[in-house]
Amino acid sequence: MFKYLFQFCWFIFATILTQIGGIIWLLCMPLFAFIKKKVQHKGKALGANVLVFLLIYLCLTFTLIPALASALGRVPLPFWATSTQPLQPLNRLTYLLNRHYVTPQLYETISKVALQMQQQYPGTITAYLDANLPFINGFPLVPHLSHKDGKKLDLAFFYTNAQTQTALQIVAPSWIGYGGCELPKLRESNQTAICEKKGFWQYGILEKLFGKSNTSYAFDEERTRHIIQLLTADKRISKIFIEPHLKSRLGFSNNAKVRFHGCRSVRHDDHIHLQIR
Ligand SMILES: [Zn+2]
């Protein structure tokens, strides 16, 4: 009984996290049965099951899933940045968990913007965070409930070395990319305090959970401002969410595309959310 409950919970968890993980686990069942017959030792059999699952999952993640998703309207963002496409995940887990799919229009848009960033600031690589899962419109990428149609993408801010002011690439103060917030300065609006006062306890949760684990990074205002300028200038982009104090600090107070996302969401002073029409 416990075994079936565990398998059910694992199926749900793997499906929520990666969309395809639960199904691949089910497809591996005949192999698990085969291993059980051949390997008597329970611990070794479990280890073999996990290994087989991971191997098949990773193979499919790099081969069949992108091909199928592309045929159905979503394409994978790149795993490695190149000189012609200076774009890569901040954390490779984003890719390995299949959370890096976007529509071809968004793919084109962000590839163009990443290239423009590199032309303006040589060596700059744009780091992306969560995008969308590979299949099915309406299937949300938990916890970002709006990332469900291939048209949404989160980008990491840019950072410099706090001591030397040298531009850094593919880094963020928090290892998952979320939660390392660029806090409001004195006299800047504090939206987190406003939302939490209204009872939206979840608004600042990521900062509390993941906080700044690396304080040697300083927020790179110049490059972050520039990428938002490029994004807002692109007709295909409809909305960009950042925290109100950054909207004003970076000079986007009069830009209608740069908006506040509402207290039901989470704070956006650790990343840029963008979406296309
Ligand atoms: Zn987002």
Side-chain angles (χ1 to χ4, degrees), residues 117-165:
M117 278 304 289
Q118 196 195 49
Q119 282 156 359
Q120 181 72 23
Y121 300 99
T124 288
I125 293 171
T126 298
Y128 67 84
L129 304 171
D130 278 339
N132 306 262
L133 293 164
F135 307 110
I136 312 173
N137 279 342
F139 194 113
L141 178 101
V142 175
H144 320 262
L145 298 183
S146 75
H147 290 223
K148 59 183 177 187
D149 52 9
K151 297 179 176 180
K152 319 288 188 326
L153 174 65
D154 290 346
L155 296 179
F157 288 162
F158 291 98
Y159 295 90
T160 58
N161 180 310
Q163 232 108 67
T164 62
Q165 276 80 53

Short mmCIF file of all heavy atoms in Angstrom, two decimals, residues 117-165:
data_model
loop_
_atom_site.label_atom_id
_atom_site.label_comp_id
_atom_site.label_asym_id
_atom_site.label_seq_id
_atom_site.Cartn_x
_atom_site.Cartn_y
_atom_site.Cartn_z
N MET A 117 22.13 42.73 -26.92
CA MET A 117 22.83 42.96 -25.65
C MET A 117 24.33 42.71 -25.83
O MET A 117 25.16 43.45 -25.33
CB MET A 117 22.30 42.03 -24.55
CG MET A 117 21.04 42.48 -23.86
SD MET A 117 21.15 44.11 -23.11
CE MET A 117 22.22 43.84 -21.73
N GLN A 118 24.65 41.64 -26.56
CA GLN A 118 26.06 41.30 -26.74
C GLN A 118 26.77 42.33 -27.62
O GLN A 118 27.95 42.63 -27.41
CB GLN A 118 26.19 39.91 -27.36
CG GLN A 118 27.58 39.35 -27.22
CD GLN A 118 27.79 38.17 -28.12
OE1 GLN A 118 27.49 38.19 -29.30
NE2 GLN A 118 28.30 37.11 -27.55
N GLN A 119 26.02 42.85 -28.61
CA GLN A 119 26.63 43.87 -29.47
C GLN A 119 26.93 45.14 -28.67
O GLN A 119 27.96 45.78 -28.85
CB GLN A 119 25.71 44.18 -30.67
CG GLN A 119 25.80 43.08 -31.72
CD GLN A 119 24.57 43.00 -32.61
OE1 GLN A 119 23.61 43.75 -32.43
NE2 GLN A 119 24.59 42.08 -33.55
N GLN A 120 26.00 45.50 -27.79
CA GLN A 120 26.18 46.71 -26.98
C GLN A 120 27.21 46.51 -25.87
O GLN A 120 28.01 47.38 -25.58
CB GLN A 120 24.82 47.11 -26.37
CG GLN A 120 24.84 48.35 -25.52
CD GLN A 120 25.02 49.62 -26.37
OE1 GLN A 120 24.71 49.64 -27.56
NE2 GLN A 120 25.56 50.66 -25.74
N TYR A 121 27.18 45.32 -25.25
CA TYR A 121 28.11 45.01 -24.14
C TYR A 121 28.82 43.70 -24.47
O TYR A 121 28.35 42.62 -24.07
CB TYR A 121 27.35 44.87 -22.82
CG TYR A 121 26.59 46.11 -22.42
CD1 TYR A 121 25.23 46.22 -22.66
CD2 TYR A 121 27.25 47.19 -21.82
CE1 TYR A 121 24.53 47.36 -22.31
CE2 TYR A 121 26.56 48.34 -21.48
CZ TYR A 121 25.20 48.42 -21.73
OH TYR A 121 24.52 49.55 -21.38
N PRO A 122 29.92 43.74 -25.24
CA PRO A 122 30.58 42.52 -25.69
C PRO A 122 30.84 41.54 -24.55
O PRO A 122 31.25 41.94 -23.46
CB PRO A 122 31.88 43.03 -26.30
CG PRO A 122 31.55 44.42 -26.74
CD PRO A 122 30.59 44.96 -25.72
N GLY A 123 30.55 40.28 -24.83
CA GLY A 123 30.76 39.23 -23.82
C GLY A 123 29.53 38.97 -22.97
O GLY A 123 29.49 38.00 -22.22
N THR A 124 28.52 39.81 -23.12
CA THR A 124 27.32 39.65 -22.28
C THR A 124 26.48 38.45 -22.73
O THR A 124 26.17 38.31 -23.91
CB THR A 124 26.46 40.94 -22.30
OG1 THR A 124 27.15 41.93 -21.56
CG2 THR A 124 25.09 40.70 -21.68
N ILE A 125 26.16 37.62 -21.76
CA ILE A 125 25.25 36.50 -22.02
C ILE A 125 23.98 36.75 -21.23
O ILE A 125 24.02 37.03 -20.03
CB ILE A 125 25.91 35.17 -21.59
CG1 ILE A 125 27.11 34.89 -22.51
CG2 ILE A 125 24.91 34.02 -21.65
CD1 ILE A 125 27.97 33.73 -22.05
N THR A 126 22.85 36.67 -21.91
CA THR A 126 21.56 36.85 -21.23
C THR A 126 21.16 35.53 -20.61
O THR A 126 21.17 34.49 -21.27
CB THR A 126 20.51 37.34 -22.26
OG1 THR A 126 20.95 38.60 -22.77
CG2 THR A 126 19.14 37.49 -21.62
N ALA A 127 20.84 35.58 -19.31
CA ALA A 127 20.51 34.34 -18.60
C ALA A 127 19.00 34.26 -18.39
O ALA A 127 18.39 35.19 -17.87
CB ALA A 127 21.22 34.31 -17.25
N TYR A 128 18.42 33.15 -18.82
CA TYR A 128 16.98 32.99 -18.61
C TYR A 128 16.69 32.10 -17.41
O TYR A 128 17.52 31.27 -17.01
CB TYR A 128 16.28 32.49 -19.89
CG TYR A 128 16.61 31.09 -20.34
CD1 TYR A 128 15.95 29.98 -19.81
CD2 TYR A 128 17.55 30.86 -21.34
CE1 TYR A 128 16.23 28.70 -20.24
CE2 TYR A 128 17.84 29.58 -21.78
CZ TYR A 128 17.18 28.50 -21.23
OH TYR A 128 17.46 27.23 -21.65
N LEU A 129 15.51 32.31 -16.84
CA LEU A 129 15.03 31.49 -15.72
C LEU A 129 13.89 30.62 -16.25
O LEU A 129 13.99 30.12 -17.37
CB LEU A 129 14.59 32.40 -14.56
CG LEU A 129 15.66 33.40 -14.06
CD1 LEU A 129 15.04 34.39 -13.07
CD2 LEU A 129 16.82 32.66 -13.40
N ASP A 130 12.82 30.48 -15.50
CA ASP A 130 11.73 29.62 -15.95
C ASP A 130 11.01 30.19 -17.17
O ASP A 130 10.73 31.39 -17.24
CB ASP A 130 10.71 29.45 -14.81
CG ASP A 130 11.13 28.37 -13.82
OD1 ASP A 130 11.96 27.51 -14.19
OD2 ASP A 130 10.62 28.37 -12.69
N ALA A 131 10.70 29.29 -18.12
CA ALA A 131 9.93 29.70 -19.31
C ALA A 131 8.57 28.99 -19.23
O ALA A 131 7.71 29.38 -18.44
CB ALA A 131 10.70 29.33 -20.57
N ASN A 132 8.41 27.93 -20.02
CA ASN A 132 7.15 27.17 -20.00
C ASN A 132 7.50 25.69 -20.17
O ASN A 132 8.59 25.35 -20.63
CB ASN A 132 6.24 27.57 -21.17
CG ASN A 132 5.98 29.06 -21.20
OD1 ASN A 132 4.97 29.55 -20.73
ND2 ASN A 132 6.93 29.81 -21.77
N LEU A 133 6.54 24.82 -19.85
CA LEU A 133 6.72 23.39 -20.07
C LEU A 133 6.52 23.10 -21.57
O LEU A 133 6.02 23.95 -22.30
CB LEU A 133 5.72 22.63 -19.20
CG LEU A 133 6.00 22.76 -17.69
CD1 LEU A 133 4.81 22.33 -16.85
CD2 LEU A 133 7.24 21.98 -17.29
N PRO A 134 6.89 21.91 -22.05
CA PRO A 134 6.88 21.69 -23.50
C PRO A 134 5.50 21.60 -24.18
O PRO A 134 5.38 21.96 -25.35
CB PRO A 134 7.62 20.36 -23.68
CG PRO A 134 7.82 19.78 -22.33
CD PRO A 134 7.59 20.84 -21.32
N PHE A 135 4.50 21.11 -23.44
CA PHE A 135 3.22 20.81 -24.13
C PHE A 135 1.99 21.41 -23.42
O PHE A 135 2.06 21.75 -22.23
CB PHE A 135 3.00 19.29 -24.19
CG PHE A 135 4.15 18.53 -24.78
CD1 PHE A 135 4.94 17.71 -23.97
CD2 PHE A 135 4.46 18.62 -26.12
CE1 PHE A 135 6.01 17.00 -24.50
CE2 PHE A 135 5.53 17.92 -26.66
CZ PHE A 135 6.30 17.11 -25.85
N ILE A 136 0.92 21.48 -24.14
CA ILE A 136 -0.45 21.76 -23.66
C ILE A 136 -0.65 23.18 -23.14
O ILE A 136 -0.19 23.54 -22.05
CB ILE A 136 -0.90 20.77 -22.54
CG1 ILE A 136 -0.60 19.31 -22.93
CG2 ILE A 136 -2.39 20.94 -22.25
CD1 ILE A 136 -0.86 18.31 -21.82
N ASN A 137 -1.39 23.97 -23.92
CA ASN A 137 -1.78 25.30 -23.46
C ASN A 137 -2.69 25.15 -22.26
O ASN A 137 -3.62 24.34 -22.27
CB ASN A 137 -2.51 26.05 -24.57
CG ASN A 137 -1.52 26.66 -25.54
OD1 ASN A 137 -0.34 26.81 -25.23
ND2 ASN A 137 -2.00 26.99 -26.73
N GLY A 138 -2.42 25.92 -21.22
CA GLY A 138 -3.24 25.85 -20.01
C GLY A 138 -2.59 25.02 -18.92
O GLY A 138 -3.04 25.04 -17.78
N PHE A 139 -1.51 24.31 -19.23
CA PHE A 139 -0.80 23.50 -18.23
C PHE A 139 0.26 24.41 -17.60
O PHE A 139 1.27 24.73 -18.22
CB PHE A 139 -0.14 22.31 -18.91
CG PHE A 139 0.35 21.24 -17.97
CD1 PHE A 139 -0.24 19.99 -17.96
CD2 PHE A 139 1.41 21.47 -17.09
CE1 PHE A 139 0.22 18.99 -17.09
CE2 PHE A 139 1.86 20.49 -16.23
CZ PHE A 139 1.26 19.24 -16.22
N PRO A 140 0.02 24.87 -16.35
CA PRO A 140 0.93 25.88 -15.78
C PRO A 140 2.26 25.33 -15.32
O PRO A 140 2.37 24.17 -14.94
CB PRO A 140 0.13 26.43 -14.59
CG PRO A 140 -0.73 25.30 -14.17
CD PRO A 140 -1.03 24.47 -15.40
N LEU A 141 3.25 26.21 -15.35
CA LEU A 141 4.57 25.88 -14.84
C LEU A 141 4.59 26.34 -13.37
O LEU A 141 4.82 27.51 -13.09
CB LEU A 141 5.62 26.63 -15.66
CG LEU A 141 7.06 26.45 -15.24
CD1 LEU A 141 7.72 25.47 -16.18
CD2 LEU A 141 7.82 27.76 -15.34
N VAL A 142 4.27 25.42 -12.48
CA VAL A 142 4.20 25.77 -11.05
C VAL A 142 5.58 26.22 -10.57
O VAL A 142 6.58 25.60 -10.94
CB VAL A 142 3.71 24.53 -10.26
CG1 VAL A 142 3.74 24.80 -8.75
CG2 VAL A 142 2.30 24.15 -10.71
N PRO A 143 5.73 27.30 -9.81
CA PRO A 143 4.66 28.11 -9.22
C PRO A 143 4.21 29.31 -10.05
O PRO A 143 3.41 30.10 -9.56
CB PRO A 143 5.31 28.59 -7.92
CG PRO A 143 6.74 28.78 -8.28
CD PRO A 143 7.06 27.73 -9.32
N HIS A 144 4.70 29.44 -11.29
CA HIS A 144 4.30 30.60 -12.10
C HIS A 144 3.03 30.24 -12.87
O HIS A 144 3.13 29.65 -13.94
CB HIS A 144 5.36 30.99 -13.12
CG HIS A 144 6.76 30.88 -12.61
ND1 HIS A 144 7.47 31.95 -12.13
CD2 HIS A 144 7.60 29.82 -12.50
CE1 HIS A 144 8.67 31.55 -11.75
NE2 HIS A 144 8.76 30.26 -11.96
N LEU A 145 1.88 30.57 -12.32
CA LEU A 145 0.65 30.07 -12.92
C LEU A 145 0.37 30.66 -14.30
O LEU A 145 -0.34 30.05 -15.09
CB LEU A 145 -0.52 30.31 -11.97
CG LEU A 145 -0.36 29.57 -10.62
CD1 LEU A 145 -1.57 29.77 -9.73
CD2 LEU A 145 -0.09 28.07 -10.81
N SER A 146 0.96 31.83 -14.61
CA SER A 146 0.68 32.42 -15.93
C SER A 146 1.58 31.82 -17.02
O SER A 146 1.30 31.98 -18.20
CB SER A 146 0.85 33.94 -15.88
OG SER A 146 2.23 34.27 -15.84
N HIS A 147 2.63 31.14 -16.65
CA HIS A 147 3.53 30.55 -17.65
C HIS A 147 2.92 29.25 -18.19
O HIS A 147 3.35 28.15 -17.85
CB HIS A 147 4.90 30.22 -17.04
CG HIS A 147 5.72 31.41 -16.69
ND1 HIS A 147 7.07 31.49 -16.95
CD2 HIS A 147 5.41 32.59 -16.09
CE1 HIS A 147 7.55 32.65 -16.52
NE2 HIS A 147 6.56 33.33 -15.98
N LYS A 148 1.86 29.38 -19.00
CA LYS A 148 1.14 28.18 -19.40
C LYS A 148 0.82 28.13 -20.88
O LYS A 148 0.09 27.27 -21.34
CB LYS A 148 -0.16 28.08 -18.60
CG LYS A 148 -1.07 29.27 -18.79
CD LYS A 148 -2.31 29.14 -17.93
CE LYS A 148 -3.16 30.39 -18.11
NZ LYS A 148 -4.29 30.43 -17.21
N ASP A 149 1.37 29.10 -21.66
CA ASP A 149 1.02 29.13 -23.08
C ASP A 149 2.24 29.32 -23.99
O ASP A 149 2.08 29.58 -25.18
CB ASP A 149 0.00 30.25 -23.33
CG ASP A 149 0.48 31.58 -22.78
OD1 ASP A 149 1.66 31.66 -22.35
OD2 ASP A 149 -0.31 32.54 -22.76
N GLY A 150 3.43 29.24 -23.42
CA GLY A 150 4.63 29.41 -24.24
C GLY A 150 5.00 30.87 -24.47
O GLY A 150 6.02 31.16 -25.08
N LYS A 151 4.15 31.78 -23.99
CA LYS A 151 4.37 33.21 -24.30
C LYS A 151 5.01 33.98 -23.16
O LYS A 151 5.09 35.20 -23.22
CB LYS A 151 3.02 33.85 -24.67
CG LYS A 151 2.39 33.24 -25.91
CD LYS A 151 1.06 33.89 -26.19
CE LYS A 151 0.47 33.37 -27.49
NZ LYS A 151 -0.82 33.98 -27.79
N LYS A 152 5.39 33.30 -22.09
CA LYS A 152 5.96 33.98 -20.93
C LYS A 152 7.39 33.49 -20.68
O LYS A 152 7.71 32.32 -20.93
CB LYS A 152 5.13 33.70 -19.66
CG LYS A 152 3.62 33.70 -19.86
CD LYS A 152 3.08 35.07 -20.08
CE LYS A 152 1.58 35.23 -20.12
NZ LYS A 152 0.71 34.23 -20.65
N LEU A 153 8.21 34.41 -20.17
CA LEU A 153 9.60 34.04 -19.89
C LEU A 153 10.14 34.93 -18.78
O LEU A 153 9.84 36.13 -18.74
CB LEU A 153 10.44 34.23 -21.17
CG LEU A 153 11.95 34.02 -21.04
CD1 LEU A 153 12.29 32.58 -20.67
CD2 LEU A 153 12.66 34.40 -22.35
N ASP A 154 10.93 34.35 -17.88
CA ASP A 154 11.61 35.13 -16.85
C ASP A 154 13.10 35.22 -17.20
O ASP A 154 13.69 34.23 -17.63
CB ASP A 154 11.46 34.46 -15.47
CG ASP A 154 10.04 34.55 -14.94
OD1 ASP A 154 9.25 35.35 -15.49
OD2 ASP A 154 9.72 33.82 -13.99
N LEU A 155 13.66 36.41 -17.00
CA LEU A 155 15.09 36.62 -17.23
C LEU A 155 15.74 37.02 -15.93
O LEU A 155 15.13 37.72 -15.11
CB LEU A 155 15.31 37.74 -18.24
CG LEU A 155 14.81 37.55 -19.67
CD1 LEU A 155 15.11 38.80 -20.49
CD2 LEU A 155 15.47 36.34 -20.32
N ALA A 156 17.00 36.63 -15.76
CA ALA A 156 17.75 37.07 -14.58
C ALA A 156 18.20 38.51 -14.80
O ALA A 156 18.36 38.95 -15.95
CB ALA A 156 18.96 36.17 -14.38
N PHE A 157 18.41 39.24 -13.73
CA PHE A 157 19.03 40.56 -13.83
C PHE A 157 20.51 40.36 -14.19
O PHE A 157 21.03 39.25 -14.11
CB PHE A 157 18.98 41.28 -12.48
CG PHE A 157 17.61 41.75 -12.07
CD1 PHE A 157 17.35 42.07 -10.73
CD2 PHE A 157 16.58 41.91 -12.98
CE1 PHE A 157 16.10 42.52 -10.33
CE2 PHE A 157 15.32 42.36 -12.59
CZ PHE A 157 15.09 42.67 -11.25
N PHE A 158 21.16 41.45 -14.51
CA PHE A 158 22.62 41.40 -14.71
C PHE A 158 23.31 41.86 -13.43
O PHE A 158 22.76 42.67 -12.68
CB PHE A 158 23.02 42.29 -15.88
CG PHE A 158 22.54 41.76 -17.21
CD1 PHE A 158 21.37 42.23 -17.79
CD2 PHE A 158 23.24 40.75 -17.85
CE1 PHE A 158 20.91 41.72 -18.99
CE2 PHE A 158 22.80 40.23 -19.06
CZ PHE A 158 21.62 40.72 -19.63
N TYR A 159 24.53 41.35 -13.22
CA TYR A 159 25.27 41.69 -12.00
C TYR A 159 26.73 42.02 -12.33
O TYR A 159 27.26 41.57 -13.35
CB TYR A 159 25.22 40.53 -11.00
CG TYR A 159 23.82 40.29 -10.50
CD1 TYR A 159 22.97 39.41 -11.17
CD2 TYR A 159 23.32 40.99 -9.40
CE1 TYR A 159 21.66 39.23 -10.76
CE2 TYR A 159 22.02 40.81 -8.97
CZ TYR A 159 21.19 39.93 -9.65
OH TYR A 159 19.90 39.76 -9.23
N THR A 160 27.34 42.79 -11.43
CA THR A 160 28.78 43.05 -11.52
C THR A 160 29.43 42.53 -10.24
O THR A 160 28.73 42.25 -9.26
CB THR A 160 29.08 44.56 -11.63
OG1 THR A 160 28.52 45.21 -10.48
CG2 THR A 160 28.51 45.16 -12.89
N ASN A 161 30.74 42.42 -10.28
CA ASN A 161 31.48 42.09 -9.06
C ASN A 161 31.41 43.31 -8.14
O ASN A 161 31.78 44.41 -8.55
CB ASN A 161 32.93 41.76 -9.44
CG ASN A 161 33.76 41.40 -8.24
OD1 ASN A 161 33.77 42.11 -7.25
ND2 ASN A 161 34.47 40.29 -8.35
N ALA A 162 30.89 43.12 -6.93
CA ALA A 162 30.67 44.25 -6.03
C ALA A 162 31.96 45.00 -5.71
O ALA A 162 31.94 46.20 -5.47
CB ALA A 162 30.01 43.76 -4.75
N GLN A 163 33.08 44.28 -5.74
CA GLN A 163 34.35 44.91 -5.39
C GLN A 163 34.98 45.65 -6.58
O GLN A 163 35.37 46.80 -6.49
CB GLN A 163 35.34 43.85 -4.91
CG GLN A 163 35.96 44.19 -3.58
CD GLN A 163 35.42 43.30 -2.50
OE1 GLN A 163 35.70 42.11 -2.51
NE2 GLN A 163 34.66 43.87 -1.57
N THR A 164 35.06 44.92 -7.72
CA THR A 164 35.80 45.46 -8.87
C THR A 164 34.90 46.13 -9.91
O THR A 164 35.40 46.74 -10.85
CB THR A 164 36.57 44.33 -9.57
OG1 THR A 164 35.58 43.39 -10.06
CG2 THR A 164 37.51 43.60 -8.63
N GLN A 165 33.58 45.95 -9.76
CA GLN A 165 32.60 46.47 -10.74
C GLN A 165 32.73 45.84 -12.13
O GLN A 165 32.20 46.35 -13.11
CB GLN A 165 32.70 48.01 -10.89
CG GLN A 165 31.92 48.78 -9.84
CD GLN A 165 32.68 48.87 -8.54
OE1 GLN A 165 33.83 49.29 -8.54
NE2 GLN A 165 32.08 48.45 -7.44
#
